[in-house]
């Protein structure tokens, strides 16, 4: 028996594609208090781009700014194949009132369905498919197979340490094994092997057939086949004779699987990879060492930390080792409790490790760094403990940490090679620079191993604070033509392209290298630089540079920091605070309000302007600047209202769990009180 849960998904020749049908339906949407943006181009790549496009559309068409809206962006558009076929769920993002958007989207076009993921998620649009009595799709129904695999491969519980899946029914498991029983098709096997091995159900016969096909088709590049993440654990579990040769060829990416199956052979491989600084290998090495050789996790970590230091492994390796140690000594956080309480054992363990004399100093420094933004959360959680002795013990550990913190962190800094957003999360720590900060930042610029992202971060901080020197410039001169002339997208960061900043520094210093850099900027290629070339005018500003920048600003061209640069440039020429330059542009013809709003807040502190192309609602830096603008008595009521509006829309009070680093409950309460004290101004707005 077949249960029909929607229309047949086969498309006869000549019938519209999924994309065409969805666009036709999309054009029918919109109405009172609800609007939809046109389908995206590559210029709308993120959700922030979508909100920016909405603001521009509302301004152009005279739509009320509080209208709710829906859209999809270019990343979502990847759900469509070139043919227009829908190959995955289409994520529909939105802004405004969730209920209004849900009503405006309705059930979707005929033959499709919309899944509402609630006020904190995106809507999903997908095709409706048919299944049999066991809930299984026709193997020839691509959309049905995709949806089935998405369902059975969705974890019921996911954490940093483990992932759990619901068991398969006998019919589901049989259906998956059947898909692997014919001639080996590696690309198809990826999809069917994963849900089986997530339940440790791949059979020796299946791995015996997949292994030679994989090694032959992907010789010399085994990780290029995504199915290896299912096959390798199965080979280890089945103790296949070729598994160690395969693991060695895969390299450090296989560390997680080897750590799940500790043995002398896996320990040997994990150690070799860990000494290169690979984070996953370090954590896997610790797990294997702890399981096989040293039952005391602190002693195991101390041994490995000393070897990492002796072998001059990258400093980030100590951070990975710390994470593994914390996982070994704490239970899995129970996220059903409040986040502060759920993670209290892990946070407290980090604070204890920072002053644990059994651990080598590099590991204690890693712990002190990890605990830098969590002391307040630990103090609050300790205050809620019912056991007085336990609370006192936690507070004593916290006091020891706070006494030692400055000495441990002096002359240290963040990982410049990691996730770019992580650097943005801690940007507020560098609003003022200590002498130790200046030394560390300059040392990183002089270090040939510092990459483009690290150079951009460090140079921006030094230059903005007026601490960049000729020595910093000279240290980077050998690298600018070969490395700094490469494209590096900065519209999602608080810092500029490093060559923009370096060119500004060279001009400010009157260094001869400025002429060569400006000559390079003047050339027509590479094309990417045209978007940021005018930002170099901020160096050694002149009236001519200001005029050229202004001409671009009012032209309507895509702003990638141009208005920000003009405001800062004008302030330097006039000897005034950039806030006063920015506020004069309110309601100025040719100035887009949504761009001016973030510029006004971004220049609140000219010693550390925020270059992100939109107000970041998850950022400590943007929250503090919004507050400062709102409370600055020197500014006009209109300018202060912009600051207050940005503060009201910030996640500090709306979605505090999304702010990074995490907030204490006290900080959230203070934020609410601050807004409530200005409720009369909110009502007036």
């Amino acid at each position: 028996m077949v249960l029909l849960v929607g229309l047949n998904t086969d498309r006869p020749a000549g019938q519209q594609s999924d994309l065409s049908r969805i666009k036709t339906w999309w054009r029918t949407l919109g109405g009172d208090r609800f609007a939809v943006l046109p389908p995206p181009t590559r210029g709308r790549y993120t959700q922030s781009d979508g909100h920016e496009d909405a603001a521009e559309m509302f301004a152009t068409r005279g739509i009320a700014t509080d209208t709710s809206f829906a859209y999809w962006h270019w990343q979502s558009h990847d759900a469509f194949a070139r043919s227009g076929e829908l190959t995955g769920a289409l994520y529909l993002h939105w802004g405004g009132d969730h209920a209004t958007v849900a009503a405006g989207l309705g059930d979707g076009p005929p033959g499709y369905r919309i899944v509402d993921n609630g006020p904190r998620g995106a809507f999903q649009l997908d095709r409706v498919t048919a299944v049999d009595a066991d809930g299984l799709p026709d193997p020839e129904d691509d959309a049905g197979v995709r949806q089935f695999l998405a369902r059975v491969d969705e974890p019921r519980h996911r954490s940093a340490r483990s992932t759990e899946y619901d068991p398969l029914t006998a019919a589901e498991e049989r259906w998956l094994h059947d898909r692997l029983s014919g001639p080996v098709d590696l690309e198809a096997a990826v999809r069917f092997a994963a849900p089986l091995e997530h339940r440790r159900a791949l059979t020796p016969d299946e791995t015996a057939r997949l292994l030679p096909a994989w090694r032959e088709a992907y010789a010399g590049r085994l990780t290029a086949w995504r199915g290896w993440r299912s096959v390798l654990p199965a080979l280890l579990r089945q103790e296949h004779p070729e598994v160690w040769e395969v693991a060695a060829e895969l390299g450090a990416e296989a560390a997680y699987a080897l750590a799940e199956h500790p043995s002398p052979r896996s320990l040997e491989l994990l150690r070799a990879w860990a000494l290169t600084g690979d984070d996953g290998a370090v954590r896997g090495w610790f797990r294997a060492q702890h399981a096989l050789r040293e039952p005391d996790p602190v002693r195991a970590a101390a041994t490995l930390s000393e070897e990492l230091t002796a072998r001059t492994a990258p400093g980030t390796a100590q951070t990975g080792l710390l994470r593994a140690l914390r996982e070994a000594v704490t239970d899995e956080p129970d996220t059903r409790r409040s986040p502060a309480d759920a993670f209290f054992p892990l946070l407290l363990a980090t604070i204890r490790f920072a002053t644990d004399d059994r651990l080598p100093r590099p590991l204690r420094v890693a712990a002190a760094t990890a605990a830098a933004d969590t002391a307040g959360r630990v103090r609050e959680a300790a205050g809620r403990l019912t056991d007085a002795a336990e609370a006192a013990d936690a507070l004593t550990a916290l006091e020891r940490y706070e006494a030692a913190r400055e000495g441990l962190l002096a002359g240290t800094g963040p990982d410049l090679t990691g996730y770019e957003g992580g650097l943005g999360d801690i940007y507020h720590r560098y609003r003022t620079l200590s002498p130790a900060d200046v030394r560390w930042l300059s040392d990183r610029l002089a270090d040939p191993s510092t990459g483009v992202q690290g150079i951009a971060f460090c140079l921006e901080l030094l230059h903005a604070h007026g601490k960049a020197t000729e020595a910093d410039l000279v240290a980077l001169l050998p690298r600018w033509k070969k490395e700094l002339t490469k494209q590096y997208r900065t519209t999602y960061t608080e810092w500029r392209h490093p060559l923009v900043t370096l060119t500004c520094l060279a001009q400010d210093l009157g260094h001869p290298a400025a002429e060569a850099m400006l000559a390079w900027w003047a050339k027509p290629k590479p094309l990417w630089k045209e978007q940021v070339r005018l930002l170099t005018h901020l160096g050694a500003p002149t009236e001519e540079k200001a005029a050229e920048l202004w001409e671009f600003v009012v032209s309507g061209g895509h702003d990638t920091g141009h208005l920000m640069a003009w405001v800062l440039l004008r302030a330097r020429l006039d000897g005034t605070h950039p806030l006063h330059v920015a506020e004069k542009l309110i309601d100025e013809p040719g100035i887009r309000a949504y761009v001016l709003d973030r510029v006004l807040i971004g220049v609140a502190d000219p010693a550390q302007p925020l270059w992100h192309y939109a107000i970041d609602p998850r950022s400590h830096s943007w929250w503090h600047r919004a507050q400062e603008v709102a409370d600055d008595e020197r500014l006009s009521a209109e300018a202060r209202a912009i600051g207050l509006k940005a503060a009201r829309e910030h996640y500090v009070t709306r979605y505090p769990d999304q702010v990074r680093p995490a907030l204490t409950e006290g900080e959230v309460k203070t934020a609410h009180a601050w807004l409530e004290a200005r409720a009369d101004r909110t009502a007036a707005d």
Side-chain angles (χ1 to χ4, degrees):
M1 180 178 72
V2 174
L3 300 180
L4 186 63
V5 296
L7 300 180
N8 192 313
T9 58
D10 291 335
R11 178 159 59 93
Q15 186 175 328
Q16 281 186 311
S17 69
D18 292 312
L19 178 57
S20 296
R21 295 170 71 182
I22 290 169
K23 282 184 174 180
T24 299
W25 162 75
W26 191 253
R27 287 192 290 268
T28 68
L29 302 180
D32 185 39
R33 316 302 298 173
F34 175 65
V36 294
L37 274 61
T41 64
R42 295 179 190 274
R44 188 194 304 158
Y45 194 72
T46 67
Q47 293 184 56
S48 295
D49 293 333
H51 285 256
E52 183 175 330
D53 285 354
E56 188 168 2
M57 185 179 81
F58 290 177
T60 303
R61 300 183 185 179
I63 300 173
T65 57
D66 61 349
T67 299
S68 299
F69 59 94
Y71 65 94
W72 75 88
H73 53 54
W74 198 253
Q75 293 182 80
S76 302
H77 199 77
D78 283 344
F80 295 105
R82 287 181 177 273
S83 64
E85 177 189 1
L86 190 63
T87 60
L90 175 66
Y91 282 84
L92 303 175
H93 301 281
W94 57 279
D97 178 67
H98 175 262
T100 301
V101 175
L105 292 175
D107 297 327
Y112 302 81
R113 64 184 179 190
I114 286 182
V115 176
D116 182 350
N117 290 309
R120 302 289 293 278
F123 293 84
Q124 290 175 259
L125 186 151
D126 205 348
R127 297 173 71 176
V128 177
T129 58
V131 296
D132 64 18
D134 292 316
L136 299 169
D138 183 331
E140 300 301 318
D141 178 358
D142 290 340
V145 170
R146 169 175 54 78
Q147 292 170 5
F148 165 72
L149 292 175
R151 176 174 63 80
V152 298
D153 221 24
E154 178 64 26
R156 68 179 176 189
H157 175 74
R158 190 198 307 269
S159 72
R161 308 183 197 182
S162 62
T163 306
E164 298 176 7
Y165 297 85
D166 287 321
L168 298 169
T169 66
E172 289 169 342
E173 185 168 336
R174 188 165 55 250
W175 189 94
L176 289 166
H177 284 303
D178 286 346
R179 305 284 77 74
L180 296 174
S181 62
V184 174
D185 180 345
L186 289 175
E187 299 314 304
V190 170
R191 307 166 69 199
F192 307 118
L196 285 170
E197 188 52 29
H198 286 155
R199 284 87 173 174
R200 300 189 169 217
L202 270 181
T203 67
D205 176 67
E206 288 164 343
T207 54
R209 295 192 310 114
L210 289 170
L211 178 59
W214 166 34
R215 299 190 73 180
E216 179 181 354
Y218 291 88
R221 53 188 188 101
L222 293 185
T223 58
W225 182 56
R226 292 180 297 114
W228 75 266
R229 298 185 182 277
S230 300
V231 172
L232 177 63
L235 295 173
L236 287 163
R237 178 169 53 82
Q238 297 161 6
E239 299 183 353
H240 194 283
E242 296 180 43
V243 67
W244 299 112
E245 183 180 344
V246 171
E249 188 173 345
L250 286 167
E253 287 190 64
Y256 82 98
L258 269 63
E260 290 288 334
H261 299 82
S263 70
R265 293 288 296 275
S266 65
L267 184 64
E268 178 185 350
L269 281 174
L270 288 166
R271 175 183 174 277
W273 298 332
L275 292 176
T276 69
D278 182 86
D279 181 74
V282 170
R283 298 167 73 180
W285 184 30
F286 170 83
R287 290 174 59 190
Q289 178 85 1
H290 180 35
L292 296 174
R293 295 186 177 175
E294 180 50 74
D296 182 336
V298 173
R299 286 167 56 182
T303 299
L304 270 55
S305 176
E306 290 172 349
E307 186 166 0
L308 288 170
T309 302
R311 298 301 185 100
T312 63
T316 53
Q318 302 285 348
T319 304
L321 181 57
L322 171 68
R323 282 199 289 267
L325 174 59
R326 292 189 309 182
E327 291 172 0
V329 301
T330 58
D331 294 328
E332 186 72 41
D334 183 357
T335 53
R336 292 171 297 179
R337 303 155 64 193
S338 71
D341 290 339
F343 289 93
F344 173 68
L346 186 145
L347 299 180
L348 180 58
T350 307
I351 281 172
R352 291 189 192 281
F353 290 143
T355 58
D356 192 331
D357 291 334
R358 295 175 297 171
L359 297 174
R361 180 179 174 82
L363 197 51
R364 286 186 283 122
V365 169
T369 302
D373 291 296
T374 62
R377 296 169 65 197
V378 170
R379 192 180 302 279
E380 283 185 345
R384 289 189 289 269
L385 293 173
T386 56
D387 187 317
E390 186 180 356
D393 181 57
L395 292 174
T396 299
L398 184 57
E399 290 169 2
R400 284 199 305 269
Y401 164 72
E402 290 177 333
R405 176 170 53 194
E406 185 175 349
L408 288 168
L409 296 182
T412 67
D415 174 15
L416 298 174
T417 65
Y419 168 53
E420 188 177 70
L423 291 175
D425 289 344
I426 62 169
Y427 208 61
H428 62 283
R429 294 185 196 168
Y430 293 92
R431 189 161 178 181
T432 59
L433 298 182
S434 69
D437 288 332
V438 173
R439 286 194 299 273
W440 187 86
L441 292 166
S442 291
D443 287 346
R444 299 290 76 70
L445 293 180
D447 186 346
S449 68
T450 302
V452 172
Q453 174 176 288
I455 292 172
F457 177 83
C458 297
L459 186 59
E460 180 69 51
L461 287 171
L462 289 170
H463 185 251
H465 284 289
K467 301 296 184 181
T469 66
E470 185 173 356
D472 298 316
L473 171 65
V474 170
L476 293 172
L477 286 182
R479 304 178 62 182
W480 82 266
K481 287 185 179 180
K482 289 186 177 181
E483 297 176 58
L484 301 189
T485 54
K486 307 299 183 185
Q487 184 172 11
Y488 169 67
R489 185 165 185 158
T490 58
T491 54
Y492 305 109
T493 66
E494 307 297 6
W495 47 90
R496 294 165 289 177
H497 189 289
L499 190 52
V500 170
T501 315
L502 190 65
T503 305
C504 289
L505 175 61
Q507 293 178 92
D508 287 340
L509 294 173
H511 194 279
E515 183 177 352
M517 292 179 187
L518 291 172
W520 180 85
W521 284 106
K523 295 177 182 178
K525 291 184 178 181
L527 297 177
W528 67 263
K529 66 183 177 182
E530 186 57 29
Q531 292 190 351
V532 295
R533 178 183 64 84
L534 292 178
L535 304 189
T536 62
H537 282 8
L538 190 53
T542 65
E543 291 292 347
E544 292 74 19
K545 291 179 179 180
E548 187 179 359
L549 251 178
W550 180 255
E551 183 179 357
F552 178 87
V553 166
V554 297
S555 72
H558 183 57
D559 188 293
T560 55
H562 297 87
L563 182 58
M564 171 82 76
W566 184 87
V567 167
L568 293 169
L569 187 158
R570 191 74 258 167
R572 289 182 64 181
L573 289 175
D574 298 343
T576 188
H577 197 291
L579 275 175
H580 299 308
V581 177
E583 72 171 335
K584 292 178 182 178
L585 298 177
I586 297 173
D587 296 326
E588 175 77 14
I591 300 298
R592 288 164 286 195
Y594 65 91
V595 177
L596 179 60
D597 288 359
R598 59 99 172 164
V599 168
L600 182 74
I601 295 168
V603 300
D605 183 356
Q608 194 197 39
L610 305 178
W611 288 91
H612 195 290
Y613 83 131
I615 296 172
D616 185 352
R618 298 174 175 84
S619 158
H620 286 249
S621 292
W622 286 93
W623 164 250
H624 294 312
R625 302 300 204 289
Q627 286 183 298
E628 290 161 20
V629 170
D631 286 346
D632 193 331
E633 297 289 348
R634 301 168 300 172
L635 299 177
S636 65
E638 292 80 6
R640 295 173 67 198
I642 291 171
L644 186 57
K645 178 177 181 290
R648 289 201 310 266
E649 294 175 351
H650 198 280
Y651 286 1
V652 163
T653 54
R654 298 173 64 206
Y655 310 114
D657 59 315
Q658 293 191 33
V659 177
R660 293 291 180 270
L663 299 161
T664 65
E665 292 183 6
E667 288 172 324
V668 175
K669 289 178 181 177
T670 299
H672 278 287
W674 183 88
L675 285 174
E676 289 168 5
R678 291 151 184 78
D680 56 335
R681 286 170 54 190
T682 302
D685 292 345

